[in-house]
Amino acid sequence: RQSVHTARFLLRTAVLDRFCGSLCSAVLEASGGTDWLTEIEELNLFVVPEDDHGEWYRYHELVAQVLRAELRRREPGEEQRVQGRAAAWYEEHGRPDDAIRYALASRDHANAARLITAHTQRVNGEGRIQLARQWLDEVDEHVLTTDPPLAAMATWIWALNGDAPRAAWALSVAESATYEGPMPDGSASFESARCRARASLAPYGLEAMRVDAERAVGLEPPGSPWHTMAALLHGCACMLLGRRDEAVRALERAGRLGRDTARPGVSFALGQRALLAADEADWDTATACAQEARAVVDSAGLRSSLTSLPVYVAAATVARHHGDEHTAGVDTAVAMRLYRRPSPAAFPWLAAQMGIRLGQLLLDSGNEGAARLKATEAGRFLPLLGPATVLL
């Protein structure tokens, strides 16, 4: 019984899980969205306010389902077009998570790939790397093979979620690709992104990891959103190769920079710096770095992030040195959980290093059986690292 214009409004806005006047105008490609909202609310057409000031609304779910079904029957394909317009509106209004959700729903996988690449670092810094994994799992696999920036980012997404085979596959795609355009993630170049991805997985051993990471540091100068990651990878490679002075400089640089944009990398670098200091019996530095790393993890909500694994190992090591067995045990348990899941298996150097470190903590606590098991797990990764590895 409604007018053609009202029916058109109802059918298209029902595609949205919630809506405001401006969003309605965008998906209808017409002005007056706020006026239409006011009218359908006055007509009592099953809209529910989402706030107290009359800005955001939604439909009753059963009504929305009926309207969406009718839109599909009347105008096949229009639902995806509405979702695509919603994605553009959300991106323009600074709500990238919603933009990605609607881009995926609209099956605009190229746009979704661009947005995922651009915003993965942000969600990782918020301790939500699992969300990036969910996004990636919805992207058509063919898109990843034709989008080199996404392939490089997918390496990180799957690796940080513990999926070593898919991370290695994404890296192989990135390694065989060429790309000359601007990088959606803010990287200086695709070469820089590829060097970082290759350094992180270290498929050719630690010396190649060091070379790749050093190259990435040169491509991503201080001030770049990716400098912290490049520096920490360089520092870790140097540390595991016994190049102590280079490692200290790189890890300290990574720990100083990126406090607002790269908190997982900052905490990771500080945790590794603490472990390096502990190896040298510099307990003042080890304690300060471990405490600072833990503060970053706690403030950023990174307790379940794989990047926090060396932070908890360092905290447990420092606590045991100071005789705080309870804290050492709690932090060791958290590190053991992170080692199991998400698991550092995609990063063989990290899996070997952390396995040995955890084995030592377990041995020091009197759990010899668990220590042997952890040493055995670590040993599986050692052949992948090359002959010059120094893990302790």
Side-chain angles (χ1 to χ4, degrees):
R1 295 190 300 271
Q2 304 304 321
S3 71
V4 172
H5 294 297
T6 300
R8 183 174 185 274
F9 179 93
L10 293 169
L11 292 172
R12 281 157 179 76
T13 56
V15 172
L16 310 170
D17 52 9
R18 60 197 301 264
F19 42 86
C20 65
S22 174
L23 177 56
C24 290
S25 295
V27 300
L28 289 165
E29 297 184 305
S31 60
T34 300
D35 294 336
W36 279 110
L37 264 179
T38 301
E39 180 176 331
I40 66 168
E41 185 178 25
E42 290 174 350
L43 291 172
N44 194 27
L45 293 178
F46 305 101
V47 292
V48 180
E50 286 276 284
D51 53 45
D52 296 328
H53 45 278
E55 182 180 7
W56 286 92
Y57 295 84
R58 63 176 175 83
Y59 289 107
H60 286 284
E61 181 54 33
L62 288 177
V63 175
Q65 290 177 15
V66 170
L67 290 170
R68 288 194 292 267
E70 182 67 12
L71 178 64
R72 293 167 193 150
R73 185 185 69 81
R74 292 188 185 187
E75 302 178 62
E78 182 62 16
E79 182 176 15
Q80 283 72 43
R81 289 188 286 273
V82 168
Q83 290 164 331
R85 295 175 203 133
W89 185 91
Y90 275 115
E91 182 180 8
E92 180 182 344
H93 287 77
R95 298 180 57 169
D97 291 7
D98 289 312
I100 293 169
R101 181 163 56 86
Y102 276 105
L104 289 168
S106 72
R107 301 172 189 166
D108 185 352
H109 293 291
N111 188 38
R114 175 183 63 82
L115 290 167
I116 292 168
T117 304
H119 292 284
T120 290
Q121 187 186 40
R122 173 183 58 83
V123 297
N124 185 41
E126 297 167 352
R128 299 190 297 148
I129 193 63
Q130 295 88 351
L131 176 61
R133 167 71 181 265
Q134 293 169 17
W135 291 336
L136 191 59
D137 286 346
E138 293 187 44
V139 174
D140 190 308
E141 192 171 277
H142 173 71
V143 174
L144 193 142
T145 64
T146 58
D147 190 313
L150 179 63
M153 187 61 74
T155 303
W156 283 102
I157 295 172
W158 278 319
L160 290 171
N161 279 281
D163 193 336
R166 294 180 83 180
W169 175 74
L171 177 60
S172 70
V173 172
E175 286 194 292
S176 62
T178 59
Y179 183 82
E180 300 297 335
M183 292 291 289
D185 65 356
S187 292
S189 64
F190 177 62
E191 175 63 15
S192 173
R194 180 164 52 191
C195 282
R196 293 194 311 271
R198 190 165 53 228
S200 68
L201 269 58
Y204 309 113
L206 285 178
E207 181 56 34
M209 174 187 176
R210 185 193 65 79
V211 172
D212 280 327
E214 189 171 46
R215 169 74 171 148
V217 170
L219 292 170
E220 300 288 350
S224 161
W226 293 101
H227 180 81
T228 293
M229 181 183 290
L232 75 85
L233 288 169
H234 183 230
C236 289
C238 290
M239 177 178 66
L240 298 176
L241 288 167
R243 301 170 68 146
R244 186 259 178 202
D245 292 342
E246 289 179 73
V248 168
R249 287 194 297 270
L251 292 172
E252 290 185 347
R253 184 168 62 250
R256 286 194 308 270
L257 302 174
R259 293 303 178 98
D260 296 327
T261 60
R263 290 177 292 182
V266 167
S267 60
F268 187 100
L270 288 168
Q272 292 283 15
R273 179 67 184 95
L275 290 170
L276 187 56
D279 289 344
E280 299 168 341
D282 180 0
W283 291 106
D284 289 341
T285 298
T287 301
C289 289
Q291 290 175 345
E292 191 174 358
R294 184 63 179 273
V296 173
V297 166
D298 291 342
S299 65
L302 300 173
R303 297 177 186 87
S304 298
S305 173
L306 182 60
T307 57
S308 299
L309 176 55
V311 176
Y312 284 103
V313 170
T317 301
V318 168
R320 176 147 290 132
H321 170 76
H322 291 298
D324 187 348
E325 293 297 327
H326 173 74
T327 299
V330 170
D331 287 338
T332 299
V334 174
M336 290 282 287
R337 177 177 57 78
L338 292 174
Y339 197 93
R340 288 191 300 272
R341 186 174 181 182
S343 167
F347 310 104
W349 55 275
L350 183 63
Q353 181 203 16
M354 292 294 105
I356 291 173
R357 295 280 185 178
L358 284 168
Q360 186 63 57
L361 287 167
L362 292 166
L363 186 62
D364 291 344
S365 69
N367 195 340
E368 184 176 340
R372 289 181 182 276
L373 177 61
K374 195 57 62 182
T376 299
E377 290 178 5
R380 298 189 186 120
F381 298 95
L382 289 175
L384 304 175
L385 304 183
T389 307
V390 179
L391 290 175
L392 287 176

